[in-house]
Amino acid sequence: GQVVYAGNGLKGYGNLILLKHGGRYLTAYGHLGELSVKKGDVIRAGQKIGTVGTSGQVKTPQLHFEIRKGTDALDPAKYI
């Protein structure tokens, strides 16, 4: 996918990376400790994009993960 957002400007997600994939798919990775990519980077499967962290309003290390097609949230278990 391609990085379309990498930063901490969206309230509630802390350090967030958004990846755009083919077919209108988007993946989101929030509460990251560190970001290893920047907007515009092309990411390959298995490539490190960041580290799990406690950014945003979380108290313990965690990862917020979403898969979307257009505006619809999808069950990640069906795609991983």
Side-chain angles (χ1 to χ4, degrees):
Q2 183 172 24
V3 179
V4 293
Y5 180 83
N8 63 4
L10 296 175
K11 187 177 174 119
Y13 293 99
N15 292 327
L16 174 69
I17 294 173
L18 299 176
L19 296 180
K20 181 180 173 184
H21 306 273
R24 296 182 52 224
Y25 286 93
L26 183 86
T27 52
Y29 308 83
H31 301 302
L32 298 171
E34 295 180 15
L35 306 178
S36 301
V37 297
K38 64 185 180 315
K39 185 177 178 179
D41 286 352
V42 175
I43 306 305
R44 306 262 183 257
Q47 181 178 339
K48 179 179 174 179
I49 61 171
T51 61
V52 171
T54 56
S55 63
Q57 298 179 3
V58 299
K59 303 266 188 252
T60 58
Q62 58 187 271
L63 173 68
H64 174 90
F65 176 69
E66 291 183 23
I67 298 177
R68 294 186 167 269
K69 185 169 186 181
T71 58
D72 297 326
L74 305 174
D75 178 358
K78 295 179 180 180
Y79 298 88
I80 298 180

